[in-house]
Amino acid sequence: MSVRVRFAPSPTGHLHVGGARTAIFNWLFARRHGGTFIIRVEDTDQARSTRESETMVLEDLRWLGLQWDEGPDEPGPHTPYRQSERTDHYGAVAQQLLASGHAYRCFCSEEMLEAKRKQAEAEGRPPHYDLTCFRLSPQEISAKLNSWAPFALRFHVPDDGDVTIDDLIRGEVTWKKESLGDFILVRSDGLPTYNFSVVADDHEMEITHVIRAEEHLTNTHRQVLIYRAMGWDVPQFAHVSLILGPDRSKLSKRHGATSVSQYADDGFLPEAMVNYLTLLGWSAPDGRELFTTEYSIGHFSLDRVNSAPAVFDHQKLDWLNGQYIHSMTAAELLPRVRPFFDAPWLEEGIELVKTSVTRLTEFHEALRFVREFTPAEVDRSFCEAIAADLRANGAPVDEGSYKAFVERLKTATGAKGKALFMPLRLALTGSEHGPELVRMIPLLQHASESDPMVLSPLQRVERCIG
RNA sequence: GGCGCAUUCGUCUAGGGGUCCAGGACGCCGCCCUCUCACGGCGGUAACACGGGUUCGAAUCCCGUAUGCGCUACCA
């Protein structure tokens, strides 16, 4: 049987990095096994879900470079892929559960339930449903029905409700039926709850492996019970641990950026993001930490996914992003940098400073010296020597002419080493720090020819002289 | 409270009974390279939560304790 996995985001905002990692693991697993990767939007929470959020989540996934085979915008054999549009699919299942006695109508109001819960808790009992409506006689039920009393559909936990699963990441996990109370399948407004729709959809979409966040682990108990009641095969489960903030609590907004779009805005490359997120929980068999998606697709397996939660480490992300930027060519980087900063001489500029940058947003600052020049205090005669040479020979435009330029300057000023290069750097950039002069001076010359905002080396030296 | 999951350097992790006085990566510190800043190279710092078992032998298996997290909703 071929692998079919799904990522099931609820559209309540931008894609969270935790969700992104879950999506990546699903995607890697599907690609590794030549399977199908499905996006299914879980929007049954009417109060919080929006179509705008769905669009954003899909955009975020696309930015990361994940492609799905079936989804809300990618028709497949199980269209639609939006739960709010699948209500008729759930009706039949609900009917069957009701008819087979696995579920019953519950007429209790939310207020009543709340009161019962509070009382149970006060008396030290588990806050489970008290079975009032389970015990209703057929006469009582038809009476309620005839009076148009609203009802929800509730699942009855059977006597043999103990469940054991063999989780692909955590091994055997067992629950006793006592830990569960009868739970809602269909709300009184007719919409299914998550635990119900997820089972109906996963079954109908022929999902073979459910790879999702750990917070769903205990829900699996309920879901397996529904599979059993319907006589359906149970898929394999793999529960991925949570991503934590520096204080080891679940990563949230107060820890800083949590949505992938924010990382895009902050100048991270999607390749680095995917690499980092993959590394957060999974490790390559040969221990490498920098890898392409081709590599991780070729080597991904769930038994190398760590079951312990992981702290999101911004420093390592920075390092990784820097590694990607350093190893890319200026031509490759060019279109990536443009949204953040642009200039006619950008490609040469990127080449000059890329090793000092860790995020795309930093190119602007790293290249600021090209357009902004503040003369520094430099020995006047030294500056005049530079100016004289530039006037006589023109500014260096490549490594060869730069070297010749430096040789002449050495002769003219008698300075060498630091005593030569420091005043030169200062005269041309106004700063004692910056990229290597051999490529910087030619850039300054080239940039001044194409960009009116840029002063040429000669103009700079002249300003130093005053 | 109940149930479940987790616990190796500050962080991400390797490790699935002896080859581990625990390996790699980020960070940090030092050295080298070097006109500076970076990059890069080299070296260093630093961990098996605790307590009992099982075993000739445990980071690795079992049981407790502690801590963290999750679920316990007509949220997903």
Side-chain angles (χ1 to χ4, degrees), chain A residues 124-146:
Chain A
R125 290 181 288 115
H128 295 159
Y129 181 60
D130 67 359
L131 266 25
T132 303
C133 292
F134 179 66
R135 300 205 186 89
L136 251 32
S137 69
Q139 292 77 14
E140 289 171 307
I141 294 174
S142 32
K144 297 246 189 203
L145 252 22
N146 287 332

Side-chain angles (χ1 to χ4, degrees), chain A residues 48-171:
Chain A
R48 297 195 299 154
S49 303
T50 66
R51 193 54 72 91
E52 294 70 51
S53 292
E54 178 189 310
T55 306
M56 293 193 292
V57 169
L58 260 27
E59 267 172 20
D60 293 338
L61 288 167
R62 256 182 232 109
W63 179 78
L64 286 169
L66 311 196
Q67 314 90 10
W68 47 98
D69 307 298
E70 299 168 26
D73 58 345
E74 199 64 51
H78 302 287
T79 301
Y81 292 89
R82 201 138 38 208
Q83 289 191 325
S84 60
E85 295 169 6
R86 298 177 61 79
T87 44
D88 48 329
H89 294 255
Y90 310 126
V93 181
Q95 279 303 329
Q96 194 176 327
L97 254 12
L98 185 62
S100 61
H102 290 288
Y104 56 93
R105 295 182 183 87
C106 179
F107 299 92
C108 298
S109 70
E110 288 195 62
E111 298 71 47
M112 283 170 62
L113 293 170
E114 184 57 30
K116 285 177 183 178
R117 244 196 312 275
K118 281 212 173 107
Q119 197 184 341
E121 212 144 344
E123 291 169 15
R125 290 181 288 115
H128 295 159
Y129 181 60
D130 67 359
L131 266 25
T132 303
C133 292
F134 179 66
R135 300 205 186 89
L136 251 32
S137 69
Q139 292 77 14
E140 289 171 307
I141 294 174
S142 32
K144 297 246 189 203
L145 252 22
N146 287 332
S147 66
W148 294 96
F151 62 87
L153 194 67
R154 204 177 269 278
F155 185 87
H156 183 60
V157 177
D159 292 336
D160 59 347
D162 290 2
V163 165
T164 296
I165 61 163
D166 189 14
D167 192 277
L168 263 18
I169 292 174
R170 345 187 75 83

Side-chain angles (χ1 to χ4, degrees), chain A residues 4 27 68 163 168 212 214 244 279 302 426 448 450:
Chain A
R4 288 176 61 83
W27 176 70
W68 47 98
V163 165
L168 263 18
R212 74 218 319 184
E214 188 192 343
L244 274 26
L279 220 40
L302 289 170
L426 225 36
S448 69
S450 61

